Structure formats: structure tokens, C-alpha cells
Amino acid sequence: MKSKNILKKLLSNLLCVSTMAVSTAYISANEERPLYNGEFSISILKNEEWTPGKLMTVKSLDEAERSGLPYKICSSRGCNTFHEMIPEKKPLKVLKSVFSIANGTLDFISRYAPALFYGVAAFALFKDVLKNIKEFIFGNKNYGEIDEVRDPIEAIARLDKHFEAIKGQDKAKAEIRKFVLNVVEEKNQRARGLSKKKGAYIIYLVGASGVGKSTAAECIAIALNGEQYKAYIIEPSDIDKESKKASVVDQLFGMRTKKVQMNEIYEKSPLIKQLEATPNMVLIINEFDKIPDVRVLEEKIRTIIDHGYINVNGDKTSCSNLTIIITSNESIGSVEKTEHQDDGTGSRTKVEHDKAFLNRLKIVEFQNLNAKDYKQIAKPQLENLQQRYFNDYNVLVTFDDELLDKLANLVEEKNQGARPIQGFVDAINDKLLNTVILDGSKDKSYVGKAVKVSLERNGEEYEFALSNDVNYEKVLQIPLNSLKDMYSSEYNMGIEISDEAINVIAEFMKRSRGNAGLAIAFVQALNEKIMKSIILKDKKKKSYIGKSFEFSLNKQLNWEFKESDPRKQKGKTVEENEPLPETKQIVEEHATESTIAV
């Protein structure tokens, strides 16, 4: 979306340049040639009538003026102007000089004003073009491209879509839904002039580290301001704790000094500039409990909530459409002014809040996750690793049946939130790179290899182990899932494989001593079948869109399929008019006579 907008700006710039070029060419083509360019003649009228016989040609304008007679200036294109001399009377001579100067000034303006105008316009346009090109190449750091949502139903739909990335936390999600609904409804009421409230909107997310608070904050920002929106985020590391010149409030909301050519000038902070550019922005303050002088910051935020503006050196900036999301690792007892409880995560803190500040907050608590939640979080990360090795190296990685449960239990024992999961995934990746990829890098012997990853105890610690003892049905699912995802995203059609076909291919792989290349070969043949029998045959009407097809293998090991249209009660077998290369031939290329009798 942003690229399209920038391209539109560049096309607009190109149109302006073209218009200026055409206008300049037109002016140049119709401009009078200057008289005083060496191609002119000056004539003096001797008598009262302007006739060729009564004219006397002189060499210079000074000579014509000294004559005291009317004179005429002619260029090669003809006589453009004439001027009658005034008799030698001092008052009239002074008046003549004044008129002459005025006439010269007007002549200068008429000749060079268009050029000056176009010069200034061209300079401004050149700066705009450079800005748009820079924005197109490097991106726009301005967070102002907002597709603000005014429909509460649409906002909740966007929120729930992105909430899928957060496992568990049902209670917190329900509270956040209420907050988003209230914000959208209140903005609509203010737009209609039906609400007298003018303060900013604020929500406070509290919980242990790694339970989904930061992700939830980004989900809220997208729900309110669109899919492409990126919130303005403040981290504790953005605050200079050692600064003696500026407090935390001054650093975020005040004026800053900037050196320009050995001089110091004052300018507004980036946050204030952004707020002025996009009043309906979303501000996320992460790890609020780690920010220094938090009580001073609370007082400033309280003013924003109550009055809806920020005062910077007497200049008020509106905050009435601002949404503030604060995340904190402190315990619920810290924000509820009850007993502080340490849950053993090592991340819970206690902050002495201003009670007046807490009374203005919508506080949402995130609970600690359990093994079931960690399992749901780890599963897609392992699947992504699996798919990456297939796409990048043609290596088929499977996981032991107990690996996911063991990993989830280990994360729960650590009691550090979901962040250790990424560390375990990185450890598996390191094991695969060093054991499978690097060892076979010379001859690429890893291509088509199937590997099983398991988690085994080594004394008091666990480590990941690799083996060739794979489940062939699981191995086959890797290239099949990749194919299904491709046709689903690019052609909006569903692909299903019969259980019998999966069993047949798995049996071939088993009898070929784990030749995983057979799985890839069968899937390649399936891809050819789909492209030739479905996609290419119907490339004009594209009636396959929205349909689902079930594939199976016949006795000759060729793929055949049935159309399963959800709008129809019964599927129909599709007859093949153009025979494809038999799968049997592909199987023979990946098997030896001693292992498989085809």
C-alpha cells in the first residue's frame, strides 16, 4: 500500500515536470526577441511624418537621444517600438527619466519573472522528487499512514485475527476486546460531537516476561489503525538514565538541542513531531517498570488522559485521539496496591505508583503460561524450521513424537515465559546445520535426506539428537504440505491426498531403505498432474478457484483425482485426456533394482 502511494506521488511529480517543460517551450517559442542584441537599427524622424525618405539612420541610441528628435527602433523582424523625444525642458526631462526607469523595470519583470517563478517551482519539485525516491527505496519512517477503523465489528475481526499468535490468555483477550470496542465507539461519538471527553485512551498490560503482552499491544495498534500500521514504540533503552540536562519527561515530550553548523538550536522531540503529524497514533511504552523517574512520567501521562494535550514550552499539542498502551512485568499486587508476590519467573517487579495515576488506567493482567500453551507456541515454530530446510536444502526433517511435549515441559520448568522456546529452536537449527548440511556440503549428499530430531536426557541436561529412523508418512507430509500451501495461496484451491496413496508411497520409501527422494519425486509428479490437468486446461475461465480436489494413485502409479466442489453433493471423476509421464518412470529413477521391484 505504501509503495503504491509513493509511486502515485512520483507520477504526479513527473506530470508537473512535463507541464513545466511544455510551458517553458511554449513561452520560448512565442517570446519576443530582444531589441538590443546587435540586430537593430535606429532612425531619427527629420520632419513630422514617418516616411522612409524622411528618416535618418544613426549608429547608437545615445546619438538618437541627443538629437532631440523623435526616433524609431527596428529589429530584423520589423519595427517593434518607437519613442518620441521630448523637447529639452528640465521638468519633462526628469519625468521622462522616471518613465524610462519604470518602463525598464516592467520590461525586466515581464522578461525574467516567468524564469524566476519556474526556477523556484523546479527547486521545490526537485526536493519533493528526491524525498519520494528516498521514501520508495528506504521506506518511510513516518508512522502516519493510517487506515483508521471506525467500524467496531471490523476492529474486533482484525484483533481476533492477530490474536491467533497469542496462545492462552483468554481472560486478557476478552478485556482487550472490550477496550478496543470502547475506543472505536468513543472516537465515533467524538467525531459526531456527542461526547464531551477529550483525553487520550490508555490501557495497562501487566504480567510476567514472555507471556504475550508486547504482541497484544501490536495487535491493538493494528485493530485500531489498519494492517500496515506500525505503532510508535518506546523502550527503556531509549531513555538516557545518566542525563543531567533532561529528565525522562523532557526527553520524551520536551525540546531537544541540535547542532547545526557549530550552533545549537532547539527542536521538538521525535514523539511530539510524530504526534503532530498523526494525532490518532498509537504509542506503546514497553517495560514501564524499568523506566527511571516513573512517577514524573506518570504525572505527565495523567495530564494527557485528563486534558487531552501536551504543553511543550507553552505550545499545546493535542492528544485527544492518542492511544497509549503500557506493558509492565510487575506483579498484579504492584498495580492493585496489594501484597507483592514473586512467582519465581525472575521478571516480576514492584513499582510505587501514584494512586491517582492507577485510578485512570484500564489494567489487564496476563497469566503465566502452562505446558499446553507452550506446546501451541512451539509447534508452528518447529513447522517453520521443517519447511525452511525442505525449501532451502531439500532435507526432510521430522520430529520425535515426544519431542514437542518434552520441550513444552522444559519451558514450563524454566518458568521464564515463552522466550526459551526460540532458544530451543535455534539449538535444533545449529545441530542440523553442523551435522547434516556442513558434513554433506562438498557433494550435497544431504539432498533428499530424511532426519528425525529427538530430545534426549544427558545426565541432568537435555540435548537434541539426530537419527535416520524416520516415520515415512511424516516425511511425505513435508513436501505435500508445501504443495498444498502453494496451491492454496496462489490458486485458491484445495488439495487432498488419499490415505491409500500416502501408504503406498511410504511403503516404497521403506523398501528403498529410507530413500526420501522418492517422496519428493511423487510430489513433483503430482504437481505436474495438477498443472497440466487442472490449471493449464482451465487457465481462461479459472473455474478451479474455490474448489477442492482429492488425489489418489492407480495401479500404474499414476495420479488421478476427483473434484470435490463444496457446492455439489457428489464428486465426479475427472478423465485424463492428455496422458502424463507415468510416476512409475520417476520412481525408477530414485530406486535400485535390488531394493524395489516396480
Side-chain angles (χ1 to χ4, degrees):
M1 184 66 70
K2 290 184 179 180
S3 298
K4 289 183 179 179
N5 292 335
I6 297 170
L7 286 174
K8 287 181 181 178
K9 292 179 183 178
L10 290 173
L11 289 174
S12 176
N13 295 149
L14 181 61
L15 181 61
C16 291
V17 171
S18 303
T19 304
M20 291 175 62
V22 172
S23 301
T24 305
Y26 177 79
I27 291 172
S28 300
N30 292 275
E31 184 182 13
E32 293 286 349
R33 296 177 65 188
L35 290 172
Y36 308 104
N37 62 354
E39 300 179 5
F40 60 86
S41 62
I42 305 174
S43 301
I44 300 174
L45 179 64
K46 294 181 179 179
N47 300 317
E48 296 180 357
E49 296 179 3
W50 288 93
T51 59
K54 297 180 180 180
L55 296 176
M56 181 180 69
T57 302
V58 295
K59 294 181 179 180
S60 68
L61 184 61
D62 291 337
E63 184 178 352
E65 288 180 343
R66 285 195 301 270
S67 67
L69 298 173
Y71 64 91
K72 188 176 185 179
I73 301 175
C74 297
S75 69
S76 58
R77 293 186 178 183
C79 296
N80 295 298
T81 185
F82 66 90
H83 178 70
E84 292 185 2
M85 291 299 297
I86 300 172
E88 290 290 336
K89 293 182 180 180
K90 286 188 177 181
L92 293 178
K93 191 173 182 179
V94 173
L95 188 62
K96 181 201 74 170
S97 300
V98 172
F99 280 126
S100 178
I101 293 172
N103 184 55
T105 304
L106 291 173
D107 183 63
F108 177 83
I109 292 174
S110 64
R111 287 176 180 277
Y112 299 106
L116 291 172
F117 170 77
Y118 279 114
V120 173
F123 178 72
L125 182 61
F126 179 70
K127 286 181 63 179
D128 192 35
V129 170
L130 284 181
K131 176 184 175 183
N132 290 331
I133 292 175
K134 182 180 178 181
E135 184 177 331
F136 181 74
I137 295 175
F138 300 104
N140 184 9
K141 292 186 179 180
N142 192 320
Y143 301 78
E145 295 222 4
I146 296 177
D147 179 19
E148 190 174 19
V149 181
R150 291 300 179 91
D151 181 3
I153 297 176
E154 181 184 352
I156 295 303
R158 285 186 180 182
L159 185 67
D160 287 341
K161 173 185 174 183
H162 291 275
F163 265 171
E164 294 177 2
I166 303 175
K167 307 305 178 185
Q169 308 296 355
D170 293 336
K171 185 177 179 181
K173 290 178 181 177
E175 292 297 318
I176 292 174
R177 287 189 187 94
K178 294 178 184 177
F179 171 76
V180 170
L181 278 175
N182 289 335
V183 170
V184 175
E185 179 62 23
E186 177 62 24
K187 284 188 175 183
N188 290 336
Q189 295 297 319
R190 292 186 187 183
R192 300 188 188 104
L194 302 177
S195 175
K196 295 183 179 180
K197 296 180 181 179
K198 53 186 177 181
Y201 313 93
I202 186 166
I203 186 171
Y204 199 99
L205 310 181
V206 60
S209 175
V211 295
K213 301 186 302 296
S214 298
T215 304
E218 294 174 2
C219 292
I220 296 171
I222 292 173
L224 294 175
N225 287 346
E227 295 288 344
Q228 304 300 321
Y229 181 72
K230 292 184 179 180
Y232 193 103
I233 300 177
I234 295 174
E235 303 284 355
S237 57
D238 298 331
I239 309 299
D240 184 3
K241 300 178 182 179
E242 306 299 327
S243 176
K244 297 181 180 179
K245 293 183 178 181
S247 66
V248 59
V249 171
D250 292 331
Q251 292 180 50
L252 296 178
F253 302 103
M255 304 291 289
R256 292 186 174 186
T257 58
K258 180 180 179 181
K259 285 190 176 181
V260 178
Q261 296 180 351
M262 305 301 293
N263 296 320
E264 284 192 353
I265 63 172
Y266 287 91
E267 65 176 7
K268 294 180 179 178
S269 68
L271 174 58
I272 297 299
K273 288 181 179 179
Q274 188 60 53
L275 187 56
E276 291 177 342
T278 53
N280 51 348
M281 64 178 281
V282 175
L283 170 64
I284 298 176
I285 306 177
N286 279 330
E287 296 187 297
F288 191 75
D289 53 312
K290 294 181 176 61
I291 292 180
D293 298 329
V294 70
R295 294 288 291 269
V296 179
L297 183 57
E298 287 178 356
E299 184 177 349
K300 174 63 73 172
I301 295 176
R302 192 178 68 189
T303 303
I304 296 172
I305 298 171
D306 291 345
H307 303 292
Y309 67 83
I310 297 176
N311 194 329
V312 182
N313 287 8
D315 185 13
K316 293 182 179 180
T317 300
S318 175
C319 302
S320 59
N321 286 320
L322 172 66
T323 302
I324 303 175
I325 306 172
I326 298 176
T327 70
S328 176
N329 294 334
E330 60 193 295
S331 65
I332 191 64
S334 176
V335 293
E336 290 183 347
K337 291 292 184 180
T338 58
E339 184 180 354
H340 171 65
Q341 296 179 348
D342 187 359
D343 55 9
T345 62
S347 64
R348 307 311 288 269
T349 57
K350 180 175 176 60
V351 180
E352 292 297 331
H353 290 287
D354 180 7
K355 190 174 182 180
F357 172 71
L358 293 177
N359 292 339
R360 289 163 169 80
L361 301 180
K362 167 72 174 178
I363 300 174
V364 177
E365 182 185 9
F366 278 67
Q367 301 291 335
N368 288 0
L369 301 175
N370 54 37
K372 181 181 177 181
D373 299 323
Y374 295 134
K375 187 175 179 179
Q376 292 178 331
I377 296 171
K379 185 177 180 181
Q381 295 189 37
L382 293 176
E383 290 175 348
N384 290 337
L385 181 71
Q386 190 180 56
Q387 203 62 46
R388 182 161 62 84
Y389 269 85
F390 173 67
N391 294 334
D392 295 347
Y393 305 107
N394 260 352
V395 174
L396 303 166
V397 179
T398 61
F399 302 101
D400 182 78
D401 294 337
E402 298 179 353
L403 181 139
L404 196 56
D405 291 322
K406 289 180 179 179
L407 192 149
N409 290 331
L410 278 176
V411 174
E412 187 178 36
E413 289 176 11
K414 285 180 174 289
N415 197 19
Q416 297 175 0
R419 288 194 172 90
I421 293 175
Q422 187 59 52
F424 286 119
V425 174
D426 292 340
I428 296 174
N429 181 50
D430 291 341
K431 190 78 173 182
L432 290 169
L433 282 175
N434 289 282
T435 307
V436 178
I437 305 302
L438 289 181
D439 288 351
S441 59
K442 292 184 178 180
D443 55 358
K444 292 189 176 181
S445 58
Y446 54 76
V447 173
K449 192 170 184 178
V451 181
K452 183 177 75 172
V453 181
S454 58
L455 184 60
E456 299 178 357
R457 181 180 287 277
N458 183 10
E460 295 183 357
E461 297 182 355
Y462 282 89
E463 63 179 20
F464 293 103
L466 305 180
S467 70
N468 297 323
D469 182 20
V470 297
N471 183 307
Y472 298 112
E473 285 81 1
K474 287 185 177 181
V475 169
L476 179 58
Q477 290 297 335
I478 299 171
L480 281 178
N481 289 336
S482 178
L483 189 72
K484 291 177 182 179
D485 292 341
M486 187 269 287
Y487 278 101
S488 176
S489 60
E490 295 186 15
Y491 299 100
N492 194 19
M493 57 182 287
I495 303 295
E496 297 296 334
I497 312 299
S498 67
D499 293 338
E500 292 81 4
I502 292 176
N503 293 334
V504 168
I505 299 171
E507 183 63 25
F508 269 102
M509 293 173 63
K510 185 178 180 180
R511 290 164 58 187
S512 65
R513 298 175 185 175
N515 189 350
L518 282 172
I520 300 174
F522 272 101
V523 174
Q524 288 174 343
L526 175 59
N527 184 42
E528 287 186 26
K529 178 73 174 181
I530 298 171
M531 290 300 298
K532 290 185 177 180
S533 297
I534 299 177
I535 304 300
L536 297 179
K537 275 190 175 182
D538 196 18
K539 62 181 179 180
K540 290 184 178 180
K541 294 182 179 180
K542 296 183 179 181
S543 59
Y544 52 76
I545 293 177
K547 295 182 180 179
S548 181
F549 300 89
E550 182 181 351
F551 287 81
S552 59
L553 285 172
N554 59 23
K555 293 181 179 180
Q556 288 75 36
L557 295 181
N558 282 323
W559 288 105
E560 58 184 17
F561 62 93
K562 290 183 178 182
E563 176 186 331
S564 300
D565 192 332
R567 294 169 295 182
K568 300 178 181 179
Q569 296 295 326
K570 296 181 179 180
K572 61 177 182 179
T573 302
V574 180
E575 296 181 357
E576 181 181 3
N577 296 324
E578 299 178 9
L580 296 170
E582 291 186 354
T583 310
K584 178 179 179 180
Q585 179 182 351
I586 299 177
V587 173
E588 287 175 340
E589 295 175 358
H590 292 79
T592 60
E593 294 180 358
S594 61
T595 56
I596 294 183
V598 180

